[in-house]
Amino acid sequence: MSGKDKMEQLEKIFESRELNVNMGPQHPATHGVLRLVLDMDGETIVKVTPYVGYLHRGIEKLGESLSYYQALPLTDRMDYVSAMSNNIGYCVAVEKLFDIEAPERAKFIRTIVGEMSRIANHLLWLATHALDIGAMTVFLYCFREREWILDLYEMICGARLTVTYPRVGGVRNDVPQEFLDSLWKFTDEFPSRILEYETLIDQNRIWLQRTIGIGVISAEEAVSCGMTGPTLRGSGVTYDIRKHMPYDAYDKVEFDVPIGTAGDTYDRYRCRMLEMRQSNNIIRQCIEKLPVGPVMADAPKFTLQPKDKMMPITHPTEALAYIIDEKVCKGCGMCLRACPAKAIFGEKKKPHTIKQEFCLGCGNCFVTCKFKALKLIPGGKAMSEEQLKELAAGPMPEEITKAAEYMVRHFEFVKKGPKVPEGEIYVATEVPKGELGFYFVSDGSGKPFRMRVRAPSFIHAGCLPRLCVGHLVADVIANIGTIDIVLGECDR
Amino acid sequence: MAVTEVRLSIHTPGLNPKDISEKIKEKFPDQVIDVAEFRDQVSVIVKKDQIVPICKYLHDDPLMSLDHLQDLTAVDYLKKKDVRFEVVYNLYSIRYRHKIRIRAQVPENDPKISSVVPIWAGANWHERECYDMFGIVFSGHPDLRRILMPEDWEGFPLRKDYPLIGPEFEKDWPGFVEVVNKAKELKEFEWEG
């Protein structure tokens, strides 16, 4: 064998070719169900192809089938890390569409909870980002403070994750004084806690090596890619919707917008750290300036009125029993179809009966009945069937008739929605991840004709190939962390 | 430390959205169909043929400099308007802080429009989603595939004639009565207090 042949043979054996590696969707470092297909030359990334959509629930399609009030809880399920901000984004957009304005106090409360969710989100981001890169302790420290914020959430609305606290036209309920006291204590202590995280990683040599010069993106490119939020500001672009298009109480508080210069992972990290301090400041200012007054806009045509106004009834709603008056019932079967629990029995053109043990007390039948054959009996759940029948035959007390009327109005209001003028609107708000936009097209009915969610995570996930190419595999993890994506929001 | 903090109180004044629509009308007189205004937001309805030159003009003109594509989506006006689809571009200028909305009409029998990826790189995934959900083809797009739905999915979910629930969910769940009966049976074992 000649030398040339031998060389060829050796080349064949040690032939180098691109390697395809599949990462995710069930990978702990991809922050959810993100799948990446990496084309690699040795350990260097040549091409990245992200695959999203594993968490697609069709929130836009669902939103088009529900009225403006019913779609609010869906927004919690998008970015579940900062549900409060998503709710605020939705409410601000719908308020603009209805042309109503929340009262001052509600605006300040929304600003407070919005900034709280920004801190909670950035803490979770820092925790997981540091964990991915290899700093375990930061994770535990961050979750300690995040827990505190979630406990504060619980104090105002009873929920920790999917809060649905803001409402169209204000907030659900006023905040208690003990919440404000506790939050004030938190803001007193929080800056020292940020210092704690920074002593751990800010000048840490491993941290600096893993973040400086990784995932660099220039300002022009970042704007062209549609990046927003701290991810964009790390590149030195001063785009913050809280300053550019102020909503809620952001024009009444003073705060700075931190920006970076290099546009790498370290600058974006610094931006978020400084942003947490600014959020802390905003919360303090809001508590100091918090005005007194109502928390729901006075627009009965567009907003849900307080429960005691809607249902002036002294009895607990759980104890209400519904019963069909056999003399009035024509047997049309409307209530039969409307009942979600299938508690109504009976044949066509014969009076129906309600089985009390199945009845949920939702009132669907009451609203659908055209002949007013249904009667409400307070405290009826504890009575026997004979007693109920006896009561049904007699006239209803006036208090109950009035309450029932209110309830029907409330029911129809939520189900059908208010009458909205025709038009279209795009309103953006600054959520922790970037710009969350809602685009509504209204056709005059109570449901949006088209509801579009501009999710920042979706755009940022699309930028991932740009950030990763040319770096090593280990830096892909740092890049996924630095763009701060939540796949629930990305896939909607 | 490379990070600085800035106060964003001073900025270059931008244009009135109505002035922008007037300028588009001047520049492309035969392309603009209508201008609509709602709650201080102006949208310009244009034909789809010249969408790339219009967008390029809005992006490159030094007075407009609409460099941030906030959102790109489509709306299906089935049985509401003569032209079924509209592709909506929400544009914003970070420097001048003005905005405008462009709506391009796309007919049902020829659902095609030119891609704006060369102007805004961020339009890439927006257009893919638009294709996925409405079936509008963006000619000139570098990588037009489905994005949120599986690649072998049939139909376009956000079209108005696409059902909200599948046929298997329209009937009642047959196990309902069984569950209720089982619950009754086991009632005696229920915890108290």
Side-chain angles (χ1 to χ4, degrees):
Chain A
M1 201 182 271
S2 69
K4 202 184 170 193
D5 283 356
K6 217 168 191 180
M7 270 311 279
E8 266 178 18
Q9 207 178 359
L10 276 173
E11 258 174 30
K12 221 175 193 180
I13 292 167
F14 296 108
E15 187 190 25
S16 68
R17 59 193 165 85
E18 275 182 16
L19 190 67
N20 273 30
V21 174
N22 180 56
M23 186 175 154
Q26 270 85 26
H27 192 284
T30 56
H31 294 210
V33 279
L34 174 69
R35 180 179 159 221
L36 299 171
V37 175
L38 311 172
D39 291 7
M40 294 188 302
D41 177 15
E43 217 188 320
T44 316
I45 307 285
V46 179
K47 194 185 159 200
V48 179
T49 324
Y51 289 86
V52 296
Y54 292 94
L55 216 56
H56 180 58
R57 291 146 295 173
I59 281 179
E60 288 176 19
K61 184 91 176 166
L62 278 172
E64 284 162 27
S65 71
L66 298 168
S67 79
Y68 288 101
Y69 301 109
Q70 290 173 317
L72 178 61
L74 292 179
T75 56
D76 288 304
R77 275 82 184 163
M78 293 192 314
D79 181 3
Y80 37 78
V81 176
S82 52
M84 209 63 109
S85 296
N86 285 255
N87 290 156
I88 293 169
Y90 180 84
C91 291
V92 167
V94 175
E95 275 167 22
K96 188 97 189 278
L97 179 69
F98 290 178
D99 202 12
I100 56 173
E101 207 165 311
E104 281 293 283
R105 188 177 172 87
K107 278 185 174 178
F108 273 87
I109 292 172
R110 286 210 297 221
T111 313
I112 290 173
V113 292
E115 292 309 313
M116 275 167 75
S117 93
R118 195 179 309 281
I119 291 176
N121 175 79
H122 285 359
L123 283 175
L124 187 105
W125 162 82
L126 178 65
T128 50
H129 189 38
L131 186 67
D132 288 346
I133 292 181
M136 179 78 195
T137 321
V138 187
F139 180 84
L140 300 170
Y141 278 29
C142 289
F143 264 72
R144 183 185 58 193
E145 270 74 66
R146 191 178 146 82
E147 196 64 21
W148 193 345
I149 289 189
L150 296 187
D151 285 346
L152 287 168
Y153 276 174
E154 206 177 353
M155 222 182 246
I156 49 170
C157 62
R160 289 157 57 88
L161 199 67
T162 50
V163 284
T164 326
Y165 173 64
R167 288 284 191 279
V168 177
V171 290
R172 182 174 164 268
N173 55 286
D174 207 341
V175 288
Q177 187 58 43
E178 57 174 333
F179 162 78
L180 293 175
D181 295 343
S182 185
L183 186 62
W184 187 260
K185 211 175 140 203
F186 173 83
T187 53
D188 266 342
E189 224 165 279
F190 188 57
S192 64
R193 299 288 171 91
I194 301 177
L195 269 178
E196 260 178 43
Y197 318 141
E198 283 180 346
T199 43
L200 280 173
I201 47 177
D202 218 27
Q203 300 300 325
N204 187 322
R205 223 191 300 162
I206 304 169
W207 181 262
L208 295 181
Q209 268 181 4
R210 293 292 307 268
T211 53
I212 288 180
I214 303 296
V216 182
I217 189 159
S218 70
E220 290 80 18
E221 218 177 341
V223 171
S224 167
C225 281
M227 279 182 167
T228 43
T231 321
L232 174 69
R233 290 194 285 272
S235 299
V237 183
T238 52
Y239 178 51
D240 188 324
I241 297 158
R242 291 175 295 170
K243 288 277 188 194
H244 278 231
M245 291 166 266
Y247 56 96
D248 281 353
Y250 285 111
D251 49 351
K252 294 182 190 75
V253 289
E254 270 188 29
F255 63 99
D256 298 335
V257 179
I259 61 161
T261 47
D264 59 359
T265 304
Y266 186 73
D267 270 20
R268 287 190 280 271
Y269 150 74
R270 285 300 308 156
C271 270
R272 290 198 175 96
M273 294 306 271
L274 291 171
E275 224 169 66
M276 277 200 273
R277 288 199 173 88
Q278 293 299 332
S279 295
N280 201 54
N281 253 337
I282 295 173
I283 293 175
R284 282 180 84 88
Q285 286 178 50
C286 281
I287 295 176
E288 274 170 357
K289 289 179 182 171
L290 192 65
V292 191
V295 290
M296 202 66 186
D298 186 25
K301 277 186 181 171
F302 289 114
T303 55
L304 293 175
Q305 293 302 298
K307 269 184 186 152
D308 54 329
K309 243 189 196 174
M310 275 290 183
M311 187 95 181
I313 190 164
T314 45
H315 311 279
T317 40
E318 294 86 36
L320 277 176
Y322 292 83
I323 190 151
I324 297 170
D325 194 345
E326 289 180 0
K327 285 170 204 156
V328 191
C329 182
K330 296 256 186 340
C332 66
M334 287 292 281
C335 51
L336 223 138
R337 260 166 271 150
C339 185
K342 309 275 180 275
I344 303 176
F345 296 89
E347 285 168 34
K348 250 193 170 178
K349 302 208 171 161
K350 278 180 188 166
H352 303 326
T353 47
I354 298 178
K355 286 228 163 141
Q356 294 299 336
E357 63 257 42
F358 295 159
C359 179
L360 304 170
C362 67
N364 253 339
C365 49
F366 191 88
V367 179
T368 41
C369 187
K370 284 175 188 165
F371 307 103
K372 299 199 172 164
L374 273 127
K375 286 194 172 172
L376 276 167
I377 291 164
K381 281 267 151 157
M383 295 178 194
S384 69
E385 296 235 339
E386 285 157 22
Q387 261 179 318
L388 280 174
K389 266 185 191 168
E390 229 172 77
L391 278 167
M396 266 204 286
E398 200 183 319
E399 183 206 13
I400 301 294
T401 3
K402 215 174 168 187
E405 236 182 73
Y406 272 113
M407 205 178 78
V408 171
R409 218 183 292 161
H410 185 110
F411 205 87
E412 288 196 337
F413 194 72
V414 172
K415 264 208 142 164
K416 288 179 184 164
K419 277 195 178 130
V420 185
E422 272 183 53
E424 44 162 2
I425 200 158
Y426 176 86
V427 179
T429 47
E430 182 85 16
V431 295
K433 303 220 156 43
E435 174 183 341
L436 177 76
F438 281 94
Y439 175 64
F440 287 111
V441 178
S442 151
D443 63 342
S445 69
K447 291 171 185 174
F449 184 71
R450 170 94 172 95
M451 175 177 138
R452 155 83 178 161
V453 186
R454 185 248 196 241
S457 296
F458 182 72
I459 319 286
H460 291 166
C463 301
L464 205 51
R466 260 162 202 269
L467 296 176
C468 292
V469 169
H471 290 302
L472 303 179
V473 185
D475 298 330
V476 174
I477 308 295
N479 280 327
I480 294 171
T482 190
I483 54 173
D484 193 12
I485 50 171
V486 157
L487 272 295
E489 186 185 45
C490 176
D491 299 344
R492 278 154 289 153
Chain B
M1 195 169 65
V3 176
T4 50
E5 289 177 48
V6 288
R7 277 169 199 266
L8 295 165
S9 48
I10 309 151
H11 70 96
T12 341
L15 292 167
N16 198 333
K18 270 193 172 168
D19 297 342
I20 300 176
S21 68
E22 287 299 317
K23 283 200 170 177
I24 299 170
K25 256 188 190 173
E26 266 175 40
K27 186 97 182 171
F28 302 92
D30 55 336
Q31 290 296 317
V32 178
I33 298 168
D34 198 8
V35 178
E37 196 187 341
F38 183 71
R39 305 258 192 265
D40 304 331
Q41 296 192 356
V42 176
S43 36
V44 183
I45 302 151
V46 298
K47 290 175 190 165
K48 65 164 186 171
D49 316 326
Q50 295 285 315
I51 190 69
V52 173
I54 291 171
C55 286
K56 199 154 182 60
Y57 164 66
L58 291 172
H59 180 267
D60 293 349
D61 190 86
L63 272 177
M64 308 273 194
S65 123
L66 290 152
D67 47 0
H68 178 42
L69 176 73
Q70 280 184 312
D71 192 18
L72 190 160
T73 186
V75 185
D76 178 6
Y77 289 103
L78 180 67
K79 288 171 193 165
K80 289 232 169 199
K81 288 188 183 173
D82 303 335
V83 185
R84 184 168 170 184
F85 298 110
E86 265 179 14
V87 177
V88 185
Y89 304 80
N90 280 298
L91 308 177
Y92 186 76
S93 166
I94 290 174
R95 185 165 175 204
Y96 298 117
R97 305 193 184 185
H98 55 225
K99 56 176 163 184
I100 190 85
R101 184 181 303 125
I102 308 288
R103 280 154 58 186
Q105 292 189 336
V106 179
E108 188 183 359
N109 49 19
D110 180 31
K112 266 187 191 169
I113 190 165
S114 299
S115 167
V116 293
V117 175
I119 303 165
W120 296 284
N124 189 327
W125 277 32
H126 281 309
E127 287 181 351
R128 272 178 74 185
E129 195 195 350
C130 224
Y131 162 72
D132 191 2
M133 293 294 160
F134 291 94
I136 294 168
V137 178
F138 291 85
S139 47
H141 189 280
D143 180 27
L144 199 64
R145 288 178 290 127
R146 280 192 183 271
I147 185 161
L148 291 177
M149 305 303 284
E151 277 176 19
D152 55 351
W153 193 263
E154 281 172 26
F156 302 105
L158 275 180
R159 284 191 177 187
K160 285 283 168 191
D161 49 7
Y162 193 89
L164 183 69
I165 47 172
E168 65 263 37
F169 294 106
E170 274 177 354
K171 282 182 205 157
D172 288 331
W173 180 46
F176 184 78
V177 181
E178 280 173 35
V179 169
V180 170
N181 288 337
K182 192 87 186 167
K184 255 191 214 166
E185 233 176 72
L186 298 175
K187 204 167 185 181
E188 54 180 306
F189 301 112
E190 219 168 64
W191 281 7
E192 277 178 24

